[in-house]
Amino acid sequence: MAIHFRTRIRLPDHSNRKYSGYFLSICRIFSKSLSETPYDPPFSPVSKLQKAKKKKIQDGNSNSIKNSTLPLHSDLPFDFFYSYSETNPSVNPIGYRESPKFSPFGPGRLDRKWTGTSAPSEVEVKINEVLEERKRILGDPLSEEEVAEIVEQYRHNNCSRQINLGKGGVTHNILDDIHNHWRRAEAVRIKCLGVPTLDMNNICFHLEDKSGGKIIYRHINILLLYRGRNYDPANRPTIPLMLWKPYAPIYPKLVKNVADGLSFEETKEMRGRGLNSPPLMKLTRNGVYVNVVERVREAFGFEEVVRLDCTHVGSSDCKRIGVKLRDLVPCVPILFKDEQIILWRGKRDREEDVNS
């Protein structure tokens, strides 16, 4: 016979419990302190709000100081472009993707007018004075021992004084980065990648011309830019920064329906031959293209059409590579399709082969 036992548990009743007057008074004081400011978030003391208000007042004063010095004036003796190495001033755009009145330097922040592609200097440049000032800053040439010491200090991959130069090339804001490094170091290491590496001479020219420094070391895509013996960081030039990247203007069409010097049928045949031919090279995204120009020139010695495999490079970079090769080789781009670049060596070589 089973016997069941029932147990009853009695819980304490706190409904009639009276709290002490000391505890209630503390709760009233704490709730009153929180309710004095309507914007006080929960569980945060009032003192933090007062500090935040003081910071806002200080920030407002700093902004007013900055606004009092606007518009900025720069004595740099050249026109401001977004990219100096990747822009050809001799080619005029046929249209704009945004209105030229929107300056990338910001409204009212620069005393130069933005034309859609550049901010030209309004002061007449005295080239002789500029060259003399740069010679004074560079000082006496470095000896071989001094160059070797600087190169050994900055040429390694773990160098902290490095600037990565990408597909934008020598941009305007990179000039400010260079002078910021020159405040604490006498040289800066520049690593170049992407489309600009097709023409390293162009990059070296613009780095020296726009920054006023001297390239003392060059190995494939690695550069060392020296600031000069008499460089004074306190007297560095004023470089207004671009607040955003401007939209690229619209330029004339790169590839024509019918190539110059060929008929429609011949152009179609050239394109078919190029697509069916084996690729001369396979380019990677943000790679080093230092030897591409020489390889294409050598290939045009025994081939009339050359194909470059640019898979995963991107359509925009493919067109930039085509423009660079057109001017450097020189050659004629006749097709951009499925990230493949088809180049024709041109009519002159073709006529010489027929005559011979």
Side-chain angles (χ1 to χ4, degrees), residues 93-142:
I94 59 176
Y96 298 96
R97 292 182 173 88
E98 64 179 358
S99 176
K101 66 181 180 181
F102 296 113
S103 173
F105 296 96
R109 294 187 69 255
L110 185 64
D111 61 349
R112 299 187 183 188
K113 184 179 179 181
W114 180 255
T115 62
T117 57
S118 65
S121 176
E122 299 179 355
V123 181
E124 184 179 357
V125 179
K126 298 180 180 180
I127 300 177
N128 295 330
E129 295 181 0
V130 173
L131 295 177
E132 291 179 0
E133 179 65 17
R134 290 185 176 180
K135 289 181 180 179
R136 185 192 67 81
I137 294 175
L138 290 176
D140 298 332
L142 296 174

Side-chain angles (χ1 to χ4, degrees), residues 224-244:
L224 286 186
L225 187 61
Y226 177 64
R227 67 181 184 180
R229 293 183 183 271
N230 303 322
Y231 179 82
D232 185 9
N235 296 327
R236 55 171 288 180
T238 303
I239 303 177
L241 295 179
M242 285 192 176
L243 303 184
W244 64 82

Side-chain angles (χ1 to χ4, degrees), residues 207-304:
L207 285 175
E208 292 182 345
D209 182 61
K210 303 303 185 295
S211 66
K214 179 71 175 178
I215 292 178
I216 59 175
Y217 176 78
R218 173 179 171 181
H219 178 66
I220 307 178
N221 64 323
I222 303 298
L223 306 173
L224 286 186
L225 187 61
Y226 177 64
R227 67 181 184 180
R229 293 183 183 271
N230 303 322
Y231 179 82
D232 185 9
N235 296 327
R236 55 171 288 180
T238 303
I239 303 177
L241 295 179
M242 285 192 176
L243 303 184
W244 64 82
K245 178 182 177 180
Y247 284 102
I250 302 173
Y251 288 99
K253 193 174 180 180
L254 178 60
V255 177
K256 299 180 180 179
N257 294 331
V258 180
D260 295 337
L262 296 176
S263 63
F264 179 77
E265 296 297 332
E266 291 175 337
T267 303
K268 187 176 179 180
E269 181 187 357
M270 289 288 181
R271 290 170 179 169
R273 286 172 53 187
L275 289 174
N276 296 326
S277 63
L280 175 66
M281 298 180 66
K282 185 175 182 180
L283 306 182
T284 58
R285 186 175 182 85
N286 293 331
V288 180
Y289 311 142
V290 176
N291 61 342
V292 174
V293 176
E294 292 297 328
R295 292 282 302 275
V296 173
R297 285 176 181 170
E298 293 176 359
F300 280 149
F302 52 87
E303 292 288 345
E304 194 173 4

